[in-house]
Amino acid sequence: MIDLIEKLCNARGASGFEDEAVKIARDYCADFADIKEDSMRNLYIYPKYNKGNRPYVLLDAHSDEVGFMVQAIKPDGTLRFIPIGGWNEKSLPSAKVQIYTSSGYISGVIAAMSPHLMTADQRNAPVSYDNLVIDVGATSDAEAREFGVEIGAPVVPLSPFEYDSKHGVLHGKAFDDRLGVAAMLLCLKQLQNVKLDVDIVGVVSSQEEVGERGITAAMHNIKPAAAICFEGCPADDTSAPTYMVQDALRGGVMLRYMDRTVICTPRFTSFAKTVADKNGIKVQMAVRSGGGNNGAYIISSNGGTPVIVAGIPVRYIHTFNCIAAEEDVSSCVKFGVELCKNINKEIIERF
């Protein structure tokens, strides 16, 4: 599991540029599934253990990560850029990044002015994309282009994955949603040896971070009877008062009732919690006033599709350095396997 997570999290894949993560998923499933891919980089995984003539349960996880795009090259060789997905701008100065070029990714840094050179006004000025640049070490626009930088180049954090095996702690970037992708792929593989009353389709979807665009296209190509979204979700145990903590590290799967974009299918949510409780899988129930995920589009597609969200707690989500617990990923995998084992056509029809 750790090897798969490391490969996925180190892959460079801002929304629209998910190729590296998609290839890892494709290679992982090659021995036990038939694979299709569309022009949006959605990957469709049809396990060979499917029997046909049974309801499809969709397992979804998105492959894209939040990132940036080069908007312009300034005369001094620094790069203007815009966000792809949601960031806290205050966290960006001095962070290391990787910029795509035709000959490979190169390193850069989001410039932070030395305190020696800052005026009082500059110290107090808000951080915005208008006054942020990426520096690759060039001294002119011509030299930046010699480095291979072009307008439109995708940019992602340079934050290599680390695993603290003694404490079961994961460090790295892109945990939203590469941890969900890993959990979904592991679930698909483990279902090879399980008796099922449904067929399974996995979708590694693209462009979730910019408005669920990949799953919107994918749902035109598949018509599942029910769906499980595997997500990396913002852990709140270091930021919320105790009574409001609903997504704690080592708390297990975050099963949400709702967020800003979706009310997950209540009867499906209740069924999923019952299955988890019977199998000793830790779940934590959440009601969110913000956030969003692919479930928002799935639930309203094809005349209505029952959906739940299985979240993995991630501290400092949408930043350069995330923290998560190995045991929470394992809980999410077990949750997906047990849910698929226990669901059938009659149960789905009651949702």
Side-chain angles (χ1 to χ4, degrees):
M1 182 174 80
I2 298 300
D3 181 60
L4 176 63
I5 291 173
E6 180 172 8
K7 289 177 181 177
L8 286 167
C9 293
N10 282 341
R12 284 78 60 106
S15 303
F17 302 89
E18 301 90 348
D19 303 70
E20 288 187 11
V22 170
K23 183 181 185 305
I24 293 165
R26 175 189 284 274
D27 291 347
Y28 183 84
C29 297
D31 292 339
F32 65 87
D34 296 319
I35 307 293
K36 296 181 180 179
E37 188 175 334
D38 66 25
S39 62
M40 288 192 72
R41 302 284 75 80
N42 289 314
L43 192 73
Y44 304 84
I45 305 165
Y46 296 92
K48 294 176 181 178
Y49 49 77
N50 285 344
K51 295 182 178 179
N53 298 316
R54 301 188 299 186
Y56 266 119
V57 173
L58 164 64
L59 308 185
D60 165 72
H62 68 88
S63 61
D64 59 317
E65 63 182 298
V66 290
F68 311 96
M69 182 176 283
V70 175
Q71 185 180 34
I73 303 175
K74 297 177 69 174
D76 64 0
T78 61
L79 316 176
R80 282 286 301 269
F81 64 98
I82 60 172
I84 298 177
W87 288 93
N88 174 0
E89 290 90 339
K90 293 179 181 178
S91 71
L92 299 181
S94 80
K96 293 193 70 174
V97 295
Q98 306 171 80
I99 304 98
Y100 176 81
T101 74
S102 59
S103 56
Y105 280 82
I106 63 171
S107 297
V109 63
I110 299 177
M113 186 180 291
S114 167
H116 305 77
L117 304 177
M118 295 179 75
T119 65
D121 287 343
Q122 288 172 326
R123 289 191 182 93
N124 296 321
V127 177
S128 78
Y129 292 101
D130 291 335
N131 55 32
L132 288 174
V133 294
I134 293 171
D135 193 334
V136 296
T139 58
S140 68
D141 56 348
E143 188 176 11
R145 294 179 190 280
E146 288 176 6
F147 282 28
V149 177
E150 297 181 359
I151 292 172
V155 179
V156 295
L158 179 52
S159 304
F161 177 83
E162 296 179 12
Y163 173 51
D164 178 352
S165 59
K166 181 178 179 180
H167 302 102
V169 176
L170 316 174
H171 298 263
K173 71 171 184 66
F175 286 9
D176 175 13
D177 183 32
R178 304 289 168 69
L179 294 187
V181 174
M184 188 265 275
L185 295 176
L186 290 161
C187 182
L188 286 171
K189 190 168 188 176
Q190 290 185 22
L191 288 171
Q192 289 181 100
N193 305 313
V194 171
K195 180 183 180 299
L196 297 172
D197 294 317
V198 293
D199 284 343
I200 306 294
V201 56
V203 173
V204 181
S205 52
S206 64
Q207 298 192 37
E208 189 268 357
E209 297 294 357
V210 289
E212 294 81 42
R213 298 173 187 174
I215 198 66
T216 301
M219 290 298 285
H220 287 285
N221 297 323
I222 55 173
K223 298 188 184 300
I228 306 168
C229 292
F230 291 80
E231 263 286 7
C233 297
D236 53 11
D237 54 339
T238 60
S239 59
T242 304
Y243 74 93
M244 282 294 288
V245 172
Q246 299 180 338
D247 193 25
L249 207 70
R250 307 188 192 282
V253 181
M254 189 194 82
L255 191 59
R256 73 178 66 185
Y257 288 109
M258 68 171 288
D259 59 33
R260 181 177 55 84
T261 64
V262 63
I263 298 174
C264 296
T265 308
R267 292 176 182 175
F268 194 1
T269 301
S270 178
F271 173 77
K273 185 177 186 304
T274 298
V275 170
D277 290 343
K278 286 182 178 179
N279 288 277
I281 302 167
K282 290 195 291 186
V283 295
Q284 40 194 337
M285 307 307 296
V287 175
R288 296 303 207 200
S289 57
N293 60 84
N294 280 343
Y297 187 81
I298 292 170
I299 199 169
S300 58
S301 298
N302 299 324
T305 304
V307 69
I308 60 169
V309 177
I312 299 167
V314 177
R315 288 179 179 170
Y316 321 118
I317 206 167
H318 285 211
T319 73
F320 278 62
N321 296 285
C322 305
I323 293 176
E326 177 188 4
E327 67 182 76
D328 290 329
V329 182
S330 296
S331 291
C332 199
V333 176
K334 185 177 179 183
F335 175 82
V337 170
E338 293 299 330
L339 201 51
C340 291
K341 282 170 59 176
N342 284 274
I343 203 167
N344 58 43
K345 182 175 184 290
E346 290 71 27
I347 290 172
I348 293 171
E349 288 174 348
R350 294 202 295 268
F351 295 157

